[in-house]
Amino acid sequence: MSSVVEEGKTYEPGTYPDLPPPPSTVGIVGWVRENLLSSTTNIVITVLTLYFLWVILPPSINWLFLNAVFEGASRDECRAIMREAGASGACWAFIGHRFELFVYGFYPVEERWRVDLSFILMLAAIVPVLWDKTPQRGKMMIGSALAPFVIGWLLIGGFGLETVPTDKFGGFMLTLVIGVTGIVGSLPLGIALALGRQSHLPALRIVCVVFIEFIRGVPLITLLFVASTMLNYFLPPGTTFDLLLRVLIMVTLFAAAYLAEVVRGGLQAIPKGQIEAADAMGLKYWQSMRLIILPQALKISIPGIVNTFIGLYKDTTLVIIIGLFDPLGVGRASLADTKWQGLSTEVYVFVAIFFFVSCIAMSRYSLYLEKKLHTGH
Amino acid sequence: MKLFKTLAVSAAVAMAATSGTASAGTLEDVKARGELNCIVTTGVAGFAAPNDAGRWEGFDVDFCRATAAAVLGDADKVKFVPTTGKTRFTALNAGEGDILYRNTTITMSRDADLKLTFLGVNYYDGQGFLVPKALGVTSAKQLDGASVCIQTGTTTELNLADYFRANGMSYEPVTIETNEEGQVNYLAGRCDVYTTDASGLAATRSSFDNPNAHVILPEIISKEPLGPAVRQGDDAWADTARWVLNVLIEAEELGITAGNVKGLASNGSNNPAINRITGVEGSYGEMIGLDKDWAVRAISAVGNYGEIFERNIGVNTPLGLARGLNAQWTEGGILYAAPAR
């Protein structure tokens, strides 16, 4: 039996199992036939998609890159350059001139190395938490636990560093400070609330239920507004209570209430037999939670938890209401500069790219985690 | 029980410690703090916005700086508290700021009902209409049946309704939230007319690709006197801040500029009105809780009213606003500051 295909010869199906598959089912041709053109519906969808891409992509690329102006001191210079070229595109010079404002907000120029260092420290602290193959993970985790304090000291100052008031925080840095603090703070709090809600102790359960329902029943914007202005009416006159700290607390509490419900969903999906088995083995409440219930419940809840985190991260843009400048706030304030007024598309595209990159990173990590923890049942 | 006692005692101590910092007046608070908290907008072209380096600039911002220079001796000792239209008064009344310079229209309800004290007018504005030239309209009276882009929840929305009803015309409102949204909608042709304060229209028009294709109609349909405000009930602080504003306006009338104010202060002048402002005669600074050089510091920091106007919103800036009503009373405007004497 020969495994070489002879030209012009036809083969009866099933008679030559060692022949290579026909050329129309392998390689690019095969992939296209299989995935894009396998049925009439698919052909229609493929054609429509190609048409939309053809309509959308070339103008976008022209606007974003080919016709874009990267240098110029003002909107008028940008427009003059475009008029000369006879094509309209983005004026990225605007973002270029404002880049530092977008990243650091009003943080003093000579102290900005502290923000850079904090960012590097944050990345270093996140690695052992997220990646279980980190060498010396145990020791690194101690570093991660200490990192928030070091970063807080670096950003705010004191103890040998010049103090930077938190109202100077802004831009991407502010988003990261609020987002990361909210995420780190709300996860343990949310789990605690979820467990509290399922507790057999009535007082604890009622407190948790009231807290969760109250926070979930009020929009975040209201909470931020209360934090920024109403709080002063309740506190003794003359008290100053850092605005950013109030925001951090409110955002954390808000996310924690939502997380508590996500985690509760996970807890309820665990069969009762698991708890009974843990009891039968003589495990105490915390032991059974830590070793048996929570690992399973949290694994189920990953998509919901990451969903909440992404929502929280994007909600940081609401702080503009209380006068803190997140990237979107910086962008809007920049649009009020008479030099650059009118370039709103550039600002929104730029900020959208930043949020897209951050959020896609979070969602990809959650997929990785789900795959890793998948136990096959 | 012991735990509760400890908690109660520590709470009481904390209360005492925090309330101890409260003091009699805003002026003393500002001096003790060494920084003026000035409430501004989150960004209005020409009036207040951070520049490329993150430094606040603008017409209202300069008045904040002048106040800080008069009170604290340094025009940079200002903390700018950006607020939106919704949060500005709450922020002032809650003590987040000492003074509000946020192109705010003085109205009776804000003065009486919201418990503010307005200090005077630093810009006379009024609501106008922006239309494309191609529409062929030359007067607001011809706008019957037009679709109008209008910001929701503002006094301009009410003014618009009043004006069209008074003239027996109808219009189709296209509601928008922010100025940028208004620009985009107007340029895309979703509304025939864009209406807001005339200064805002000028700023919007200046940002267009082809500003000459659009005109601002001659009718101004409302009175919008914009001015600073402080919390009601602290008259001493209101006096201090009011006279900083007045003296900047009067300085222009008397020809005192950032360039010559120091010379006038050290050499004196033949004009007693100038001498009263520069502290050569009388003790006017002491009357408002400051020293005799207060006005010299304010004027040398940012210039007189005219200099502030020309630098931020005048004809040579992208906004290109003419003085109009905001010229001195001696030059055909209605700017008429009470004399410092």
Side-chain angles (χ1 to χ4, degrees), chain A residues 55-329:
Chain A
V55 168
I56 292 164
L57 270 187
S60 309
I61 290 172
N62 280 343
W63 188 84
L64 282 170
F65 305 109
L66 301 181
N67 296 342
V69 176
F70 294 90
E71 297 197 358
S74 69
R75 178 196 62 228
D76 292 338
E77 280 187 30
C78 264
R79 288 204 175 142
I81 294 172
M82 281 178 217
R83 213 166 292 138
E84 221 166 88
S88 69
C91 177
W92 293 125
F94 173 31
I95 305 294
H97 277 273
R98 293 265 169 170
F99 191 72
E100 301 227 313
L101 201 59
F102 270 110
V103 175
Y104 301 103
F106 300 104
Y107 212 83
V109 178
E110 60 277 10
E111 304 290 331
R112 284 181 183 167
W113 61 271
R114 282 155 57 177
V115 180
D116 299 335
L117 188 60
S118 304
F119 184 68
I120 295 167
L121 264 179
M122 185 198 80
L123 291 182
I126 282 178
V127 170
V129 177
L130 296 188
W131 190 44
D132 60 354
K133 293 192 190 72
T134 318
Q136 304 275 337
R137 193 170 181 222
K139 279 179 200 158
M140 297 281 280
M141 286 289 250
I142 299 174
S144 300
L146 293 175
F149 301 100
V150 179
I151 290 173
W153 167 64
L154 271 176
L155 291 180
I156 297 169
F159 304 108
L161 285 175
E162 197 190 320
T163 311
V164 177
T166 52
D167 58 86
K168 301 270 181 215
F169 288 22
F172 297 137
M173 170 221 171
L174 181 69
T175 301
L176 283 176
V177 166
I178 300 176
V180 172
T181 313
I183 287 171
V184 170
S186 63
L187 187 58
L189 191 59
I191 294 173
L193 281 169
L195 293 177
R197 192 167 185 167
Q198 303 227 311
S199 166
H200 298 300
L201 309 168
L204 182 63
R205 191 173 63 235
I206 289 169
V207 168
C208 289
V209 169
V210 168
F211 176 86
I212 292 170
E213 295 303 336
F214 173 73
I215 299 271
R216 284 205 311 163
V218 179
L220 178 58
I221 217 162
T222 316
L223 289 177
L224 288 176
F225 199 73
V226 167
S228 84
T229 50
M230 307 301 288
L231 216 56
N232 275 20
Y233 289 118
F234 306 134
L235 292 169
T239 319
T240 52
F241 182 12
D242 193 88
L243 187 61
L244 181 64
L245 186 64
R246 299 184 218 165
V247 170
L248 289 177
I249 292 172
M250 284 302 180
V251 167
T252 308
L253 293 183
F254 187 79
Y258 277 82
L259 269 179
E261 289 298 282
V262 171
V263 174
R264 188 168 69 97
L267 287 172
Q268 281 176 348
I270 306 297
K272 210 163 177 240
Q274 297 278 331
I275 299 165
E276 286 165 354
D279 287 346
M281 287 174 74
L283 293 178
K284 298 248 169 39
Y285 175 78
W286 284 112
Q287 284 176 319
S288 69
M289 282 300 152
R290 188 169 60 84
L291 297 171
I292 300 188
I293 309 300
L294 278 180
Q296 302 183 64
L298 290 181
K299 195 194 83 186
I300 306 172
S301 319
I302 287 173
I305 291 176
V306 174
N307 214 7
T308 311
F309 284 166
I310 289 178
L312 173 147
Y313 191 75
K314 290 194 290 190
D315 279 349
T316 56
T317 51
L318 291 177
V319 295
I320 184 68
I321 297 289
I322 55 169
L324 289 174
F325 278 149
D326 77 300
L328 211 55

Side-chain angles (χ1 to χ4, degrees), chain B residues 130-137 186 205 211-215:
Chain B
L130 180 68
V131 295
K133 252 188 198 152
L135 210 61
V137 172
Y186 172 76
R205 181 170 170 263
N212 293 327
H214 305 268
V215 283

